[in-house]
Structure formats: C-alpha cells, structure tokens
C-alpha cells in the first residue's frame, strides 16, 4: 500500500514537472503572441486615425483658401488673421511633429506623441533613426509603442498634473540604436527580485516581457532605473551583427 502511494505521488510530481517544462512555455508564448497582435492592431488604428485627420484637412484646403480670399477682398484683415490662427491650431493637431528618417518609427512615434499631448503630459522628444535598420518594423513599433504606453499609464497616476512628463531620446550611439524613455510616476515601481512589475492587469503585463524578448532577439541590452517619482528605460540594439 505504501509503495502504491509513493508511486502515485511520484507520477503526480512527474506530470506537474512535464506541464511546467512543456505546457507553460507554450502558454506564455501564446499569450505574448496574442498581446503583440492586439498591440499592433491598436498602433495601426492610432496611425490610421492620425492620417485620416491629415487627409481630411487637405480635402478642406481649397475651401480654406476661398474663405481667406474673401476676407482679403473685402479688406477684413482682422478676420483673416483670426482664421489663419484657427487653421494653424487645427493643423498642429495632425502635423508630423517628428521626422526621424525612418517611416515606420515616424508613424508610431507621432501617433503616440499626439496621444501624450491630448493627455496633457509635458513631452520632450528627440529622435534620429536610419531608414535601413536590421530590425523588423513590427518589432521596432511594438518596442517603442510599448515603452510609451507604459510611460503614459505611469504619468496618468501622478496626482499633480504639472508634474507629469515624458522625455524621449532616440539616436545612434556607438553603432547601436539607443532608445531612452524617462517618465514621471507616483512613488516607486514595484519589483520582484530583479524584475520590475507592471501595474497593469491581464495580458498587458506581458508588455515588459515582449520588450525584453525583442531586445534579446537582436542581441540588445535593457537598463531600467527607478527612483522616487521617476522611471527610466534604456534600450540599446546593435546596428551591426
């Protein structure tokens, strides 16, 4: 009887080990794949919204010219000035605020910058990215988009709106693509061992894992730093294998 119990317990242990070794990685990969697809779909929708606004403004361009011509013809210079101011404010909401040199990065970065400004977060962004880089456009979009989504969500928790900020710096440093995102946050980030924990529930928590995997895929390096009220992430991706 004792032997039968021992054998039974051993079988249970073996089954659990097998599940952990084979099923768990498959489960995590599936969740991350689902997360990436949702993230890419959301980024695409954001970019499409931005360009739809731009197309709409261009479509109305002829009408704007006619209104201005009418004001000038009747010497309504103050009205013309006010109309130009209105158009300038309207155009600023759809204008491409950053031109990095890489179309894919321009699209995702500018769509996120529009969202950041709409959330009344102070932002300072500088970015230079070559058009030809040895990284998948989707991977680069997921990486940058995820970093900025995390920064926005952390800023949203800062009670004092005047203290909400995001600083973005992307450039070529020592033959590597250097990406730095620094943002304000409430308090300090939670950690489990050496790993920082996401404040988001559900699938969103896989975003940090996805960032790490993309960096690892290209032999890159990630450095995360946190102090009271500030969180910073640095990512370096080699441009030469």
């Amino acid at each position: 009887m004792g032997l039968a119990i021992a054998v039974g317990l051993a079988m249970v242990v073996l089954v659990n080990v097998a599940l952990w070794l084979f099923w768990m990685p498959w489960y995590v990969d599936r969740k991350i794949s689902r997360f990436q697809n949702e993230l890419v779909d959301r980024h695409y929708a954001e970019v499409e919204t931005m360009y739809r606004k731009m197309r709409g403004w261009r479509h109305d361009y002829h009408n704007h010219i006619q209104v201005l011509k009418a004001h000038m013809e009747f010497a309504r210079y103050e009205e013309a000035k006010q109309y130009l101011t209105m158009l300038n404010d309207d155009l600023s909401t759809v204008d491409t605020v950053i031109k990095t040199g890489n179309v894919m990065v321009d699209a995702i970065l500018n769509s996120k910058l529009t969202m950041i400004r709409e959330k009344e977060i102070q932002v300072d962004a500088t970015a230079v990215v070559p058009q030809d880089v040895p990284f998948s456009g989707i991977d680069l979009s997921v990486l940058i988009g995820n970093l900025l989504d995390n920064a926005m969500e952390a800023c949203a928790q800062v009670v004092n709106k005047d203290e909400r900020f995001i600083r973005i710096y992307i450039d070529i440093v020592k033959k590597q693509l250097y990406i730095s995102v620094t943002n304000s946050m409430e308090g300090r980030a939670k950690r489990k061992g050496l790993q920082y924990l996401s404040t988001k529930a559900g699938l969103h928590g896989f975003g940090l894992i996805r960032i790490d995997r993309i960096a690892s895929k290209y032999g890159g390096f990630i450095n995360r730093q946190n102090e009271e009220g500030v969180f910073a992430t640095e990512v370096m991706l080699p441009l030469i294998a």
Side-chain angles (χ1 to χ4, degrees):
M1 186 67 176
L3 180 61
I5 293 175
V7 171
L9 290 174
M11 290 297 295
V12 170
V13 171
L14 287 174
V15 169
N16 286 331
V17 170
L19 286 174
W20 182 260
L21 291 177
F22 300 105
W23 180 81
M24 185 57 69
W26 172 85
Y27 174 78
V28 171
D29 285 340
R30 184 176 179 182
K31 288 293 187 180
I32 292 176
S33 177
R34 179 182 168 190
F35 166 80
Q36 177 179 333
N37 291 336
E38 290 179 353
L39 191 63
V40 170
D41 288 344
R42 187 167 77 247
H43 290 172
Y44 176 83
E46 292 167 0
V47 172
E48 178 61 26
T49 298
M50 182 181 69
Y51 282 111
R52 193 183 305 119
K53 289 180 180 179
M54 293 178 69
R55 290 195 297 269
W57 198 93
R58 289 172 179 170
H59 178 75
D60 293 336
Y61 185 78
H62 179 74
N63 293 333
H64 296 318
I65 293 297
Q66 296 306 312
V67 171
L68 286 170
K69 286 175 65 176
H71 284 317
M72 298 301 292
E73 184 177 348
F74 292 99
R76 297 195 293 258
Y77 302 122
E78 187 59 32
E79 287 86 346
K81 181 180 178 181
Q82 292 176 359
Y83 196 81
L84 283 171
T85 299
M86 181 194 72
L87 290 180
N88 182 65
D89 292 341
D90 183 55
L91 181 59
S92 67
T93 65
V94 297
D95 191 23
T96 301
V97 293
I98 279 193
K99 294 181 180 178
T100 68
N102 184 291
V103 175
M104 196 74 173
V105 175
D106 286 351
I108 188 62
L109 191 54
N110 283 299
S111 70
K112 293 300 181 184
L113 287 174
T114 298
M115 294 177 64
I116 290 171
R117 289 191 172 94
E118 288 176 350
K119 294 177 181 294
E120 300 181 323
I121 298 172
Q122 301 175 51
V123 61
D124 179 27
T126 301
V128 176
V129 182
Q131 180 58 45
D132 296 321
V133 290
F135 322 121
S136 157
I138 290 179
D139 284 343
L140 207 50
S141 292
V142 169
L143 179 64
I144 294 173
N146 217 329
L147 287 170
L148 296 183
D149 281 345
N150 291 343
M152 279 189 281
E153 285 161 6
C155 284
Q157 297 176 15
V158 176
V159 177
N160 187 346
K161 291 185 178 181
D162 293 335
E163 295 179 356
R164 298 176 180 176
F165 71 85
I166 296 176
R167 290 194 293 268
I168 306 161
Y169 182 77
I170 306 175
D171 203 350
I172 306 303
V173 178
K174 297 181 179 179
K175 297 181 180 180
Q176 298 188 82
L177 180 62
Y178 175 76
I179 303 171
S180 172
V181 176
T182 304
N183 59 270
S184 57
M185 66 176 300
E186 197 67 31
R188 296 180 67 96
K190 295 180 179 179
R191 298 180 64 167
K192 183 177 181 181
L194 298 176
Q195 299 295 321
Y196 284 98
L197 301 178
S198 172
T199 59
K200 299 174 286 185
L203 283 175
H204 300 289
F206 287 101
L208 294 175
I209 299 176
R210 187 58 188 158
I211 290 174
D212 291 346
R213 286 197 173 186
I214 291 173
S216 177
K217 177 180 178 180
Y218 296 104
F221 170 77
I222 294 180
N223 178 36
R224 295 183 175 98
Q225 297 291 332
N226 175 228
E227 59 184 49
E228 188 70 22
V230 179
F231 192 88
T233 303
E234 295 176 306
V235 181
M236 299 192 77
L237 304 175
L239 292 172
I240 300 177

